[in-house]
């Protein structure tokens, strides 16, 4: 079993708590499903949000999915001029038998433009 890092991102349509929870839940669920992972495979998860998101902590979505015994942390993304607005990013550290090239990084909707090289 190896430790791997899985990336993902989603752009929100608006800064609203319920919308954030729904979109982040969809992203985290897609990361788990596309990599054949279960919550027990998670070691830790970093969430970042662009500075224009204020309505909630992205990690709340993970807790609502029942991920309660995994260390989660939220941070603010750098405020770079011209960067895509309203984006939540995930960096999950997981235990998996997948080799690095087979790890599926998930970029939903418009966020796929952020990493065209690795977006699934």
């Amino acid at each position: 079993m190896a430790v791997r890092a899985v990336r993902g991102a989603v752009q929100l349509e608006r800064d609203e708590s319920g919308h954030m929870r729904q979109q982040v839940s969809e992203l985290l669920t897609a990361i788990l499903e596309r990599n054949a992972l279960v919550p027990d495979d998670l070691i830790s998860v970093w969430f970042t949000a662009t500075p224009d998101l204020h309505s909630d902590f992205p990690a709340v979505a993970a807790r609502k999915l029942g991920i309660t015994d995994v260390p989660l942390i939220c941070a603010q993304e750098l405020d770079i001029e011209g960067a895509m607005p309203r984006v939540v990013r995930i960096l999950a550290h997981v235990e998996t038998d997948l080799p690095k090239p087979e790890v599926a990084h998930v970029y939903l909707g418009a966020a796929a433009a952020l990493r065209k090289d690795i977006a699934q």
Side-chain angles (χ1 to χ4, degrees):
M1 188 80 53
V3 174
R4 301 282 185 233
V6 185
R7 291 284 320 266
V10 65
Q11 183 183 37
L12 306 184
E13 295 175 17
R14 59 195 174 279
D15 183 21
E16 181 181 283
S17 182
H19 179 63
M20 180 183 289
R21 280 194 305 271
Q22 187 271 329
Q23 292 293 299
V24 174
S25 292
E26 183 179 325
L27 175 60
L28 190 51
T29 299
I31 287 171
L32 293 173
E33 288 175 355
R34 293 183 194 179
N35 289 286
L37 299 168
V38 296
D40 272 353
D41 297 325
L42 295 169
I43 296 169
S44 64
V45 183
W46 281 80
F47 297 87
T48 66
T50 51
D52 52 0
L53 294 174
H54 309 279
S55 62
D56 207 347
F57 294 100
V60 169
R63 297 295 185 221
K64 296 281 184 187
L65 286 174
I67 299 171
T68 58
D69 62 349
V70 176
L72 309 175
I73 193 165
C74 296
Q76 188 175 76
E77 196 68 38
L78 294 174
D79 190 10
I80 304 298
E81 187 173 328
M84 185 179 285
R86 300 177 317 282
V87 175
V88 173
R89 291 173 174 85
I90 290 177
L91 175 62
H93 299 96
V94 303
E95 291 180 319
T96 180
D97 289 323
L98 288 174
K100 283 183 186 180
E102 292 182 25
V103 171
H105 304 283
V106 180
Y107 291 79
L108 300 179
L114 295 170
R115 288 300 305 265
K116 293 178 186 175
D117 59 325
I118 64 171
Q120 304 289 318

